[in-house]
Short mmCIF file of all heavy atoms in Angstrom, two decimals:
data_model
loop_
_atom_site.label_atom_id
_atom_site.label_comp_id
_atom_site.label_asym_id
_atom_site.label_seq_id
_atom_site.Cartn_x
_atom_site.Cartn_y
_atom_site.Cartn_z
N LYS A 133 2.41 -25.60 20.59
CA LYS A 133 3.60 -26.08 19.75
C LYS A 133 3.01 -26.38 18.36
O LYS A 133 1.98 -27.01 18.21
CB LYS A 133 4.19 -27.35 20.34
CG LYS A 133 5.36 -27.95 19.44
CD LYS A 133 5.87 -29.19 20.02
CE LYS A 133 6.94 -29.78 19.14
NZ LYS A 133 7.56 -31.01 19.72
N ILE A 134 3.71 -25.82 17.30
CA ILE A 134 3.26 -26.06 15.99
C ILE A 134 3.63 -27.53 15.51
O ILE A 134 4.79 -27.91 15.62
CB ILE A 134 3.82 -25.07 15.02
CG1 ILE A 134 3.37 -23.64 15.40
CG2 ILE A 134 3.42 -25.30 13.58
CD1 ILE A 134 3.93 -22.55 14.57
N ALA A 135 2.72 -28.21 14.99
CA ALA A 135 2.96 -29.69 14.57
C ALA A 135 3.99 -29.66 13.48
O ALA A 135 4.00 -28.83 12.58
CB ALA A 135 1.63 -30.27 14.03
N GLY A 136 4.92 -30.53 13.64
CA GLY A 136 6.00 -30.76 12.60
C GLY A 136 7.18 -29.78 12.71
O GLY A 136 8.10 -29.86 11.95
N THR A 137 7.19 -28.87 13.76
CA THR A 137 8.22 -27.97 13.94
C THR A 137 8.64 -27.88 15.40
O THR A 137 7.92 -28.48 16.23
CB THR A 137 7.85 -26.47 13.45
OG1 THR A 137 7.01 -25.91 14.39
CG2 THR A 137 7.16 -26.54 12.10
N GLY A 138 9.59 -27.17 15.77
CA GLY A 138 10.02 -27.06 17.11
C GLY A 138 9.58 -25.66 17.69
O GLY A 138 9.89 -25.39 18.83
N GLU A 139 8.77 -24.96 16.90
CA GLU A 139 8.43 -23.61 17.34
C GLU A 139 7.28 -23.68 18.38
O GLU A 139 6.25 -24.37 18.17
CB GLU A 139 7.91 -22.77 16.20
CG GLU A 139 7.65 -21.30 16.49
CD GLU A 139 7.36 -20.48 15.21
OE1 GLU A 139 7.41 -21.01 14.09
OE2 GLU A 139 7.06 -19.25 15.37
N THR A 140 7.47 -22.97 19.54
CA THR A 140 6.63 -23.03 20.61
C THR A 140 6.19 -21.61 20.95
O THR A 140 6.81 -20.64 20.64
CB THR A 140 7.09 -23.74 21.88
OG1 THR A 140 8.27 -23.03 22.33
CG2 THR A 140 7.36 -25.17 21.55
N LEU A 141 5.05 -21.43 21.67
CA LEU A 141 4.60 -20.20 22.12
C LEU A 141 3.99 -20.32 23.52
O LEU A 141 3.11 -21.21 23.77
CB LEU A 141 3.50 -19.68 21.13
CG LEU A 141 2.75 -18.34 21.62
CD1 LEU A 141 3.71 -17.16 21.53
CD2 LEU A 141 1.64 -18.09 20.72
N SER A 142 4.44 -19.51 24.50
CA SER A 142 3.93 -19.51 25.79
C SER A 142 2.86 -18.43 25.92
O SER A 142 3.17 -17.24 25.75
CB SER A 142 4.97 -19.24 26.87
OG SER A 142 4.44 -19.21 28.21
N LEU A 143 1.61 -18.84 26.10
CA LEU A 143 0.43 -17.93 26.05
C LEU A 143 -0.26 -17.78 27.42
O LEU A 143 -0.68 -18.81 28.06
CB LEU A 143 -0.54 -18.44 25.01
CG LEU A 143 -1.67 -17.45 24.63
CD1 LEU A 143 -1.10 -16.20 23.99
CD2 LEU A 143 -2.66 -18.18 23.64
N PRO A 144 -0.35 -16.66 28.08
CA PRO A 144 -1.04 -16.50 29.33
C PRO A 144 -2.57 -16.60 29.07
O PRO A 144 -3.13 -15.98 28.27
CB PRO A 144 -0.60 -15.06 29.79
CG PRO A 144 -0.32 -14.29 28.52
CD PRO A 144 0.16 -15.37 27.49
N LEU A 145 -3.21 -17.43 29.92
CA LEU A 145 -4.70 -17.62 29.89
C LEU A 145 -5.28 -17.67 31.22
O LEU A 145 -4.65 -17.86 32.21
CB LEU A 145 -4.96 -18.94 29.15
CG LEU A 145 -4.37 -19.28 27.82
CD1 LEU A 145 -4.78 -20.67 27.39
CD2 LEU A 145 -4.89 -18.35 26.82
N TYR A 146 -6.61 -17.39 31.28
CA TYR A 146 -7.37 -17.74 32.47
C TYR A 146 -7.64 -19.21 32.40
O TYR A 146 -7.59 -19.84 31.34
CB TYR A 146 -8.67 -17.07 32.46
CG TYR A 146 -8.57 -15.55 32.80
CD1 TYR A 146 -8.92 -14.63 31.90
CD2 TYR A 146 -8.20 -15.17 34.11
CE1 TYR A 146 -8.79 -13.27 32.14
CE2 TYR A 146 -8.11 -13.75 34.38
CZ TYR A 146 -8.37 -12.79 33.38
OH TYR A 146 -8.31 -11.52 33.64
N THR A 147 -7.79 -19.86 33.56
CA THR A 147 -7.89 -21.33 33.67
C THR A 147 -8.99 -21.85 32.70
O THR A 147 -8.78 -22.92 32.06
CB THR A 147 -8.19 -21.73 35.15
OG1 THR A 147 -7.10 -21.25 35.95
CG2 THR A 147 -8.37 -23.27 35.17
N ASN A 148 -10.16 -21.15 32.61
CA ASN A 148 -11.15 -21.67 31.83
C ASN A 148 -11.28 -20.96 30.43
O ASN A 148 -12.42 -20.89 29.86
CB ASN A 148 -12.57 -21.64 32.50
CG ASN A 148 -12.91 -20.25 32.92
OD1 ASN A 148 -12.11 -19.28 32.79
ND2 ASN A 148 -14.15 -20.02 33.31
N THR A 149 -10.19 -20.42 29.93
CA THR A 149 -10.28 -19.86 28.55
C THR A 149 -10.59 -20.99 27.59
O THR A 149 -9.94 -22.07 27.58
CB THR A 149 -8.93 -19.16 28.23
OG1 THR A 149 -8.68 -18.13 29.07
CG2 THR A 149 -8.90 -18.63 26.77
N LYS A 150 -11.54 -20.74 26.71
CA LYS A 150 -11.88 -21.78 25.70
C LYS A 150 -11.04 -21.77 24.49
O LYS A 150 -10.35 -20.77 24.15
CB LYS A 150 -13.35 -21.50 25.25
CG LYS A 150 -14.33 -21.40 26.42
CD LYS A 150 -14.34 -22.66 27.21
CE LYS A 150 -15.41 -22.56 28.35
NZ LYS A 150 -15.11 -21.69 29.41
N VAL A 151 -10.98 -22.98 23.83
CA VAL A 151 -10.14 -23.16 22.71
C VAL A 151 -10.49 -22.20 21.55
O VAL A 151 -9.55 -21.62 20.93
CB VAL A 151 -10.39 -24.58 22.17
CG1 VAL A 151 -9.68 -24.76 20.76
CG2 VAL A 151 -9.72 -25.69 23.13
N MET A 152 -11.80 -21.85 21.41
CA MET A 152 -12.11 -20.99 20.33
C MET A 152 -11.58 -19.53 20.54
O MET A 152 -11.24 -18.84 19.61
CB MET A 152 -13.66 -20.86 20.18
CG MET A 152 -14.18 -19.92 19.12
SD MET A 152 -13.36 -20.13 17.48
CE MET A 152 -14.21 -21.56 16.82
#
Side-chain angles (χ1 to χ4, degrees):
K133 179 182 178 181
I134 298 177
T137 75
E139 188 174 354
T140 61
L141 173 69
S142 177
L143 190 65
L145 305 176
Y146 287 111
T147 299
N148 62 346
T149 298
K150 305 300 185 290
V151 169
M152 178 50 79

